Amino acid sequence: MLPDGSRCIVSVPLGTRTVYAAVWQIRAGKVRLYLLDTDLDENAPWDRGLSARLYSGNQDMRVQQEIVLGLAASGRSRRWASSPPCGT
């Protein structure tokens, strides 16, 4: 959650559609761990399950998961280090 109580949502282009993911941050000692959750009302039913089980679906599901995870983190990780998207 953001300081104002709202959810932190990132958008990821996936083919001809956009997948939205909530970003959650967990602290484990000095390490910040970011989790993505695609089970959001904003997503189509088939996209909501992308983050339910990592790499357990068919090959299409796995490729979509890798795209969402990669694009959500790529280019954002540097910004998150200095300015986390969902609190500290």
Side-chain angles (χ1 to χ4, degrees):
M1 296 249 170
L2 295 170
D4 67 1
S6 63
R7 294 184 305 169
C8 179
I9 306 291
V10 295
S11 60
V12 178
L14 187 61
T16 59
R17 64 191 191 277
T18 300
V19 175
Y20 298 94
V23 181
W24 301 95
Q25 182 191 126
I26 297 173
R27 285 190 158 215
K30 295 181 180 182
V31 176
R32 291 181 182 157
L33 175 64
Y34 293 97
L35 305 172
L36 298 176
D37 179 11
T38 58
D39 189 12
L40 305 175
D41 291 338
E42 295 89 344
N43 288 328
W46 50 88
D47 289 334
R48 293 182 69 166
L50 284 173
S51 63
R53 283 200 189 123
L54 202 53
Y55 308 134
S56 65
N58 62 30
Q59 187 173 3
D60 285 341
M61 172 74 84
R62 182 173 178 153
V63 169
Q64 291 177 55
Q65 289 174 332
E66 290 173 354
I67 292 169
V68 169
L69 291 171
L71 290 179
S74 159
R76 292 178 171 88
S77 60
R78 288 188 189 101
R79 286 181 294 188
W80 290 356
S82 61
S83 178
C86 297
T88 58

